[in-house]
């Protein structure tokens, strides 16, 4: 039964000519599938609708070849041939009683046109935003009229596809409608530049065009960024309040946030739940139209509070809807403890950044709904009465035990330490990573509900213990440990002076409470979050810290998760020195010799200790010993042995969770061939191929 405190979240709300059945709104979010993988995209959105979201939105949808986002894979409505892919999504979403929303966008100077080869468009002449060696040209009045026509026609196509809500996009520094608002991008002297009224003109016209075109049956939403945190060059809160006042009643729905994306989807390390409230709480006081906003909402109490206090009318979610597509239904059914809460790691964002299907640390089924037929809540029942022994209760071990238990298998989970969670528990104690413990907590909570799973702590098993246990299937998820000899991406051999040096530390030492003191160098050859977290931890304890990396930038992979700018700002605030493009030559315990990777010039640094963040070694000794004793398996009743997660190949927590889930899904199931997932294949009529015409 639903807790009455949350009744407000389940009241319908009218949005222009349509009605949302509740207050849960999956706002537009990228997914790396888009127009290239329409079946996968539709299945992913369908899971949200089935899970109870009243509105399910697309990602950015390109409206014209001059706004081509290649290599990024978004939605597309260049012409009528793009309608079927989005119609498929609408059908899937409507089947579960949800509304489908379409975010139309032309990205102007933030597009690439690498595929279309069209000239970039912008309010004024300017370089392309993302480093391409080209510029956008200033739009003429004819161009502006054409842009309005493209947007109107795309809105009509969206309506024909079955969309219920059509967006006008003016957020994230990613759309012409926003670019015309910005003083740094709009330096025009005609009726579309200069005064705020003039800079708002195009946005007003596009909103009115869209309402005129589809407003009879579709709601028109405005996604608007109220603050860019760039000062006078960007949209500022004071100016945003004027803009909202000018347009207050024109859209049917206001979707408000901060820009750019790295300020909107801030990792949990740098912002908590509801962090955007101070930037958007004025909107609802300015308009009578419904307002939706985001804040990585995971707590039903926080969500209800947003509505009761008059901050929002609808709870907008992207990342929480990825971590748990069934979040609304679980609240409605009174299953709050079953919510798989987002940890704010932004691995989902990395899918878009790496041009690959979306992934999630908490939800291993995300992106696999069509490819592998994985449902976020349902799983096939067990095939036999076989028993399974899982050794290691880190993220892989917990997930495999939980999912096998859900299937109905009898599972024994043995953990050598006195606490569950493995690396998740240990990393969650580091600065800013506390929410990552949700990976452990949700799985432990689910395991505790299953009588067919037995958990044994402080139980280090030998090969003989495993063979004596009597389980038919054995899964080893024993984790890994960090190297301390400097071997890694940049060094194919140990660095002289690091191995067996008592003044050399690893992330394992830090997590175990063995901390260095004095003047330190954190040597980051990993490139993600570990190096900067280690540097922050030690700086907060009073150490003088240099963050040294062979890469040309600090934590380069963190750009894929939107951490990078926040890491640099945090390091600067704390007084952590960054030294890029330098490798370690040797260390004698007091002096560190480093070398510029480009000039090969060397220098010496006084150094009391070095923290190496380089490579990890699988803890697979038990696996190797059991392989050597394979002839004994039949007598012991062992039918299969698998090594998974970091014990097989160290990676992200997301990799470990996926490995555990995949094993559980596939145990005793028939093999599906060499390619264990479905793919999109594009077919064409033979005559079309011969003529070279589009299929």
């Amino acid at each position: 039964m639903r807790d009455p405190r949350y009744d407000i979240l389940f009241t319908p709300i009218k949005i222009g000519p349509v009605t949302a059945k509740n207050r849960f709104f999956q706002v537009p979010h990228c997914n790396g599938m888009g127009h290239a993988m329409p079946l996968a995209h539709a299945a992913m959105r369908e899971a949200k609708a089935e899970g109870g979201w009243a509105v399910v939105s697309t990602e950015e949808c390109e409206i014209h070849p001059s706004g081509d986002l290649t290599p990024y894979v978004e939605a597309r409505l260049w012409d009528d041939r793009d309608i079927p892919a989005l119609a498929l999504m609408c059908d899937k979403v409507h089947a579960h009683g949800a509304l489908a929303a379409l975010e139309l966008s032309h990205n102007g100077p933030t597009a690439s046109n690498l595929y279309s080869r069209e000239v970039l468009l912008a309010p004024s002449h300017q370089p392309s935003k993302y480093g391409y060696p080209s510029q956008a040209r200033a739009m003429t009045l004819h161009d502006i009229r054409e842009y309005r026509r493209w947007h109107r026609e795309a809105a009509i196509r969206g309506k024909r596809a079955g969309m219920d809500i059509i967006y006008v996009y003016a957020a994230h520094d990613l759309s012409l409608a926003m670019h015309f608002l910005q003083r740094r991008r709009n330096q025009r002297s005609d009726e579309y530049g200069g005064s705020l009224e003039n800079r708002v003109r195009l946005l007003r016209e596009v909103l009115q065009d869209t309402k005129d075109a589809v407003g009879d049956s579709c709601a028109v939403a405005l996604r608007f960024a109220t603050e860019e945190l760039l000062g006078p060059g960007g949209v500022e809160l004071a100016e945003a309040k004027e803009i909202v006042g000018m347009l207050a009643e024109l859209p049917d729905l206001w979707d408000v946030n901060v820009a750019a994306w790295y300020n909107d989807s801030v990792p949990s390390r740098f912002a908590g739940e509801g962090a955007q409230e101070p930037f958007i709480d004025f909107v609802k006081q300015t308009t009578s139209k419904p307002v939706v906003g985001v804040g990585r909402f995971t707590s039903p109490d926080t969500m209800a509070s947003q509505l009761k206090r008059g901050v929002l009318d609808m709870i907008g979610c992207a990342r929480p809807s990825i971590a748990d597509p069934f979040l609304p239904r679980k609240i409605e059914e009174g299953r709050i403890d079953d919510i798989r809460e987002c940890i704010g790691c932004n691995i989902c964002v990395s899918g878009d950044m790496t041009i690959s299907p979306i992934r999630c640390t908490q939800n291993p089924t995300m992106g696999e709904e069509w490819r592998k037929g994985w449902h976020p809540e349902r799983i096939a029942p067990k095939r036999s009465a076989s028993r399974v022994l899982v050794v290691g209760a880190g993220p892989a071990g917990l997930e495999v035990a939980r999912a096998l238990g859900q299937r109905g298998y009898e599972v024994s989970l043995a953990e050598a330490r006195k606490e569950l969670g493995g690396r998740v528990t240990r990393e969650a104690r580091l600065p800013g990573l506390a929410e990552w413990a949700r990976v452990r907590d949700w799985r432990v909570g689910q395991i505790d509900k299953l009588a067919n799973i037995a958990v044994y702590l402080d139980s280090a098993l030998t090969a003989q213990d495993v063979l004596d246990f009597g389980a038919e299937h054995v899964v080893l998820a024993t984790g890994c440990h960090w190297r301390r000899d400097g071997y890694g991406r940049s060094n194919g051999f140990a660095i002289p002076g690091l191995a067996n040096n008592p003044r050399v530390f690893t992330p394992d030492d830090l997590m175990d409470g063995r901390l260095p003191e004095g003047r330190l160098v954190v040597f980051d050859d990993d490139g993600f979050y570990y190096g900067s977290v280690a540097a922050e931890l030690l700086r907060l304890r009073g150490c003088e810290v240099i963050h040294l990396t062979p890469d040309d930038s600090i934590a380069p992979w963190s750009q894929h998760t939107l951490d990078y700018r926040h890491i640099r700002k945090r390091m600067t605030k704390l007084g952590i020195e960054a030294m890029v493009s330098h490798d370690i030559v040797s260390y004698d315990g007091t002096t560190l010799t480093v070398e510029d990777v480009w000039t090969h010039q060397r220098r010496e640094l006084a150094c009391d200790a070095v923290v190496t963040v380089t490579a990890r070694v699988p803890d697979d000794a038990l696996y190797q010993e059991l392989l050597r004793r394979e002839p004994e398996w039949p007598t012991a009743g062992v039918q299969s042995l698998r090594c998974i997660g970091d014990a097989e190949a160290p990676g992200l927590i997301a990799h470990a969770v996926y490995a555990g889930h995949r094993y559980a899904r596939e145990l005793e199931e028939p093999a599906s061939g060499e390619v264990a997932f479905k793919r999109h294949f594009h077919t064409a009529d033979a005559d079309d191929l011969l003529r070279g015409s589009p299929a």
Side-chain angles (χ1 to χ4, degrees), residues 555-631:
W557 210 82
S558 70
Q559 297 196 50
H560 297 313
T561 55
L562 307 181
D563 287 272
Y564 178 76
R565 291 170 182 264
H566 303 289
I567 288 173
R568 294 306 304 256
K569 290 179 180 179
R570 178 71 57 84
M571 288 176 58
T572 300
K573 181 179 180 180
L574 293 176
I576 298 169
E577 180 182 348
M579 183 180 292
V580 300
S581 306
H582 279 77
D583 202 352
I584 296 177
V585 176
S586 64
Y587 181 52
D588 64 7
T590 58
T591 302
L592 188 73
T593 302
V594 300
E595 179 179 271
D596 186 299
V597 300
W598 300 113
T599 67
H600 303 295
Q601 291 183 341
R602 295 187 177 186
R603 57 187 291 194
E604 293 183 343
L605 303 175
C607 184
D608 297 316
V610 175
V611 178
T612 59
V613 186
T614 56
R616 288 170 283 176
V617 179
D619 291 328
D620 63 352
L622 179 58
Y623 177 60
Q624 298 300 335
E625 177 63 18
L626 286 168
L627 287 179
R628 285 191 289 272
R629 297 178 65 174
E630 186 172 359

Side-chain angles (χ1 to χ4, degrees), residues 633-646:
W633 294 4
T635 302
V638 175
Q639 297 175 13
S640 73
L641 171 71
R642 279 285 303 277
C643 183
I644 65 170
D646 288 343

Side-chain angles (χ1 to χ4, degrees), residues 343 347 360-361 395-396 423-424 427 436 439 529-530 616 646 651-659:
I343 69 170
I347 292 303
C360 177
T361 298
R423 64 177 286 191
V424 168
E427 290 185 25
W436 294 25
V439 174
Y529 60 91
Y530 293 101
R616 288 170 283 176
D646 288 343
L652 300 172
I653 295 172
H655 293 136
V657 172
Y658 172 79

Side-chain angles (χ1 to χ4, degrees), residues 35 62-72 74 76 78 105-108 110-118 120 132:
H35 66 82
E62 304 168 2
I63 65 172
H64 190 264
S66 60
D68 165 31
L69 297 176
T70 303
Y72 299 101
E74 314 297 344
R76 182 171 284 172
W78 288 0
S105 182
H106 189 298
N107 284 44
T110 65
S112 71
N113 294 355
L114 292 174
Y115 177 60
S116 70
R117 302 191 72 175
E118 297 291 334
L120 292 168
Y132 302 115

Side-chain angles (χ1 to χ4, degrees), residues 661-674:
H661 194 81
R662 179 179 180 181
Y663 177 91
R665 289 269 183 178
E666 295 178 350
L667 181 63
E668 297 186 332
E669 293 296 314
S672 56
E674 291 296 323

